[in-house]
Every structure is written in C-alpha cells, then in structure tokens.
Amino acid sequence: MKYVLGAKCVKCGREYPAAPGLTTCACGGILDIVYDYAAIRRHFSPKSLADCRDYSMWRYRPLLPVEEESAPPPLRVGWSPLYKADRLAQALGLDTLYLKDDGQNPTSSLKDRASALAVVKAREAGADTIACSSTGNAASSLAGNAAAAGLSTYIFVPSRAPRVISVEGSYEDTFELSRAAIDRWGWYNRNAAINPYLSEGKKTVTLEILEQLGWCVPDYIALSVGDGCTIAGAWKGLKDLYAAGFIDRLPRLISVQAEGCCPLNRAVQTGRPWAPMEENTLADSIAVGVPRNPDKALRAIRESDGVAVNVSDGEILEAMRLLGRTQGVFGEPAGAAGTAGVKKAVELGLIPAGSTVVSIVTGNGLKDVQSGIQAAGEPMRVSPDMDALLAAFAAQDIRP
C-alpha cells in the first residue's frame, strides 16, 4: 500500500503493520489507518483528481488502504448525487442546504462503501468467505457486494430484522455470536467496529461531498448515528483531506440519534461516559444500544466541536415526508434522521440560519416500505367512479 504507514490504536497508541486481516488492538482499542500525507501531497491533488474519469469511490485510491494491484469489486459504489436542496432549506429555515443521497448506491445505502472495501481486503487476505452482524443495511450491502465478487457470506441480524441468520436477541447478542463464528471458522470480518479498513471505505462519502462542493467547506455535515462507525469514518475522511492539503478548514458534525436509542449523544450532552440503552426506535439501522465504535465516534463529535441532537420517531417520519415533498428524495427512517436532526437543531438555535449545511441521506426508503407508508399515510381508496372521487376529495378538503 503505497501511502499507508500502518495502523495506530486510538486508546493506547500502539502501532501495527497494516496487514489485510487487521482487527483491534491487544488492549481492545480500535485502530486508525495512518497515511504518509507528505507523500500524498506530492502525488495527489485536486488538480490531478479533476482529470480522473473513474466516478466511483475508487477515484480516491491514494487515500484508501488497498494494494495498487488490487482490482475494485464489480459493483459501482460511490459518487452518489449531491443536491442543492433550496425548497427543503426554505422549509427548515436555512439559507443553504445540500442533500447527499447515498441511497443511490447499489444496495441502496452508504454501507456499500464499507462492503466494497471489505471485499477487496478479503481478497488480499486470501479469504473466500466474509461475515458480519447487522441491523439490516450492512447485511444487504455485504450480500450484494460479495455475491458480485464471487465470495460467500454469513450474515447475523437481530430477530427484529428478518434477514439471513436471525438471532433471537439484541444487536449486542448478534454481534457477539457473529464474532465467535468468525473466530471459529476463520471468515473475513466485515464488522465495522472491529475492522479498521471499513471506516476507510465509509470516509469516501465526505471525500465526495467536498469534491462535489468544489473543495468549499460547509459549516456543518449532518448524519445519523448508530454504532458510531459512519460518523467516525466521515470525520476521518475530512481530517485526511485537511492533512493532505485539499481543504483549509474542517466543518462541524451534527450527530443525530433516535431519542429511543441515543447512548453516544447522551454521553456528549451530559459529559459522562456512555452507557447502554434499550433499542427503542423504528429506525432499525441506528438502533444500537451498545455501540461498538464509541471511542472513534465520540472523538469525531468532540474534535469537530459537533452538535448532538436526538429526534423522536415522529420527527423522523416528518423528515421522510419533508424530503419527499420538497426534494423528491425517499429516505428510510435512519436515512432521514440526519435531516430530522438538522430541522431540530435549527429550531433549538443550535446552528445559525445562515449556515451552509450538508445532510447525508444514508439509505433509501424502499428498504423499509412499511415506515414509508407510515410516514406518507395510507392511499386514498375510491371506487372507479367520478362521483366517488369527488366525494373523497371533498371529505379531505382537496381542491384540484
């Protein structure tokens, strides 16, 4: 790996060579991939990137921990659209708002960025099977990306997420069973809180945002938070760009969690160590009561002087409606939570109305159709008769 120096524990500082099967430190701490930023500055710049015609996450290979000869997986991951959301900005009381629609990745979520990198690292490790635990999106993401690359998968999900190996327990129980199985059979570990390479895949979402903004740094970037791996990856990407000289300042992060499951935000808001919570929210993808990447996530929020906002399920459903009505973007509950958090942060005066904000929609609404129906409401049902249609319109005070 041309620009990778190694890996460093975020807890004790111990350093490791960047081997393909890298996981956690001997002390139990999570690792960060360390780059030679001076070398990157000499060979990689906004100008050289402008000439690249690979419109996927792999356009950032100098900032990714993969071997030069490693081929990317077959599915095109990344370069999702960034929309200037003027109508939504007006509804929220903001001057400038952008939406990063990562639901347009191959399996409809941001998790494809981590899974694509996992496929490459599994190949480098000589593994033919990848496994992970998931509340939903990582499961479908790994299944799709691994299948396209010809690799086998074992995927563990809590019983509330009816996919693949359904574990009768919480996400914590599911995670521990997946880890035991991975250790027993030697599968490649795609769990983002264990495998430091996966945050490197997730960070490409912020690399894209900044490039799509012409390297003009927004004031805030908002995203939903569950295990903590995505916000940690997003912050790592921003710090990499700063260290490599692509940007001259860093934005603040807006960490959005569901009120019914907000252990990381609660720690930020109270100044106390994080503690487990029940997983009580319809936003399954961020329903993680025992986050597995708390150190990196909390560091990201605090280092960025970030804003921690908790939103109710009702506010998430309202954000789903707002996204669709104003911008035509359909986000699943976890995907729309970032926008719900922006709305609440404005209402609470936590961010100024004149701010430039980017909200990341992390998953497509078609992944959770029942919540979409709950947000939009049941369709109007009428018999095939104009009088019946007029009566239904009148009942709902609709005036075409």
Side-chain angles (χ1 to χ4, degrees):
M1 290 179 282
K2 187 173 181 180
Y3 300 109
V4 175
L5 297 177
K8 186 174 182 179
C9 178
V10 300
K11 186 176 290 185
C12 74
R14 183 174 177 179
E15 297 182 357
Y16 293 83
L22 201 63
T23 54
T24 54
C25 178
C27 77
I30 300 167
L31 305 180
D32 251 346
I33 304 301
V34 181
Y35 293 88
D36 184 345
Y37 294 111
I40 290 172
R41 281 174 177 259
R42 290 194 295 269
H43 301 106
F44 190 51
S45 67
K47 186 178 184 301
S48 65
L49 191 55
D51 296 328
C52 179
R53 294 297 173 262
D54 179 359
Y55 291 102
S56 75
M57 63 179 276
W58 301 104
R59 67 192 283 107
Y60 306 108
R61 281 184 79 105
L63 284 169
L64 293 175
V66 296
E67 301 293 348
E68 289 187 82
E69 66 274 13
S70 292
L75 298 182
R76 185 201 60 78
V77 176
W79 206 249
S80 58
L82 182 74
Y83 300 122
K84 193 166 187 294
D86 292 338
R87 295 186 68 232
L88 180 57
Q90 183 178 17
L92 300 186
L94 278 171
D95 286 356
T96 308
L97 176 66
Y98 293 87
L99 289 177
K100 178 67 167 171
D101 187 6
D102 239 41
Q104 293 199 32
N105 278 308
T107 74
S108 303
S109 86
L110 185 150
K111 301 292 178 70
D112 283 333
R113 299 176 183 273
S115 293
L117 199 62
V119 166
V120 174
K121 299 309 291 185
R123 284 172 167 170
E124 291 179 2
D128 60 6
T129 302
I130 311 178
C132 76
S133 60
S134 170
T135 53
N137 279 337
S140 56
S141 172
L142 176 57
N145 282 274
L151 299 177
S152 299
T153 56
Y154 287 91
I155 298 165
F156 298 76
V157 298
S159 56
R160 68 172 185 270
R163 295 174 186 156
V164 199
I165 301 169
S166 183
V167 180
E168 298 296 328
S170 66
Y171 177 66
E172 181 184 9
D173 298 327
T174 305
F175 186 94
E176 291 300 334
L177 181 59
S178 77
R179 179 158 63 178
I182 288 166
D183 290 343
R184 177 168 182 146
W185 287 293
W187 301 329
Y188 189 79
N189 194 329
R190 188 249 175 258
N191 286 317
I194 292 291
N195 187 332
Y197 293 120
L198 302 191
S199 286
E200 298 294 305
K202 290 186 174 187
K203 80 182 183 185
T204 59
V205 70
T206 44
L207 306 187
E208 286 178 15
I209 288 169
L210 269 296
E211 185 180 2
Q212 289 168 326
L213 289 174
W215 309 111
C216 295
V217 181
D219 299 309
Y220 297 90
I221 296 179
L223 65 166
S224 56
V225 175
D227 224 357
C229 301
T230 300
I231 196 168
W235 184 238
K236 177 64 158 51
L238 293 165
K239 291 204 299 182
D240 283 351
L241 288 177
Y242 184 76
F246 281 66
I247 56 176
D248 59 6
R249 67 181 181 92
L250 291 163
R252 297 173 68 186
L253 298 179
I254 302 175
S255 169
V256 185
Q257 292 204 281
E259 285 181 353
C261 191
C262 56
L264 295 173
N265 277 2
R266 185 172 65 178
V268 173
Q269 291 161 342
T270 63
R272 298 173 183 167
W274 74 271
M277 289 187 69
E278 291 186 8
E279 298 166 353
N280 185 22
T281 173
L282 60 80
D284 276 344
S285 295
I286 56 171
V288 182
V290 182
R292 291 291 171 173
N293 207 336
D295 293 337
K296 281 189 181 181
L298 291 171
R299 184 181 66 177
I301 300 166
R302 289 166 175 156
E303 281 185 358
S304 73
D305 188 24
V307 176
V309 184
N310 302 323
V311 293
S312 67
D313 284 357
E315 288 168 328
I316 290 172
L317 292 172
E318 171 58 22
M320 291 174 68
R321 288 190 288 270
L322 263 178
L323 281 168
R325 188 168 67 244
T326 61
Q327 301 299 144
V329 172
F330 188 20
E332 66 170 333
T339 300
V342 173
K343 182 176 186 293
K344 193 162 189 177
V346 174
E347 292 171 349
L348 294 175
L350 299 176
I351 62 175
S355 304
T356 296
V357 181
V358 178
S359 182
I360 302 175
V361 181
T362 54
N364 190 279
L366 291 175
K367 299 178 78 69
D368 187 349
V369 175
Q370 289 306 311
S371 291
I373 293 172
Q374 189 176 348
E378 291 286 343
M380 185 185 302
R381 302 182 187 278
V382 299
S383 60
D385 178 82
M386 180 56 74
D387 288 339
L389 179 61
L390 293 172
F393 279 0
Q396 296 193 30
D397 196 27
I398 296 174
R399 304 173 189 276

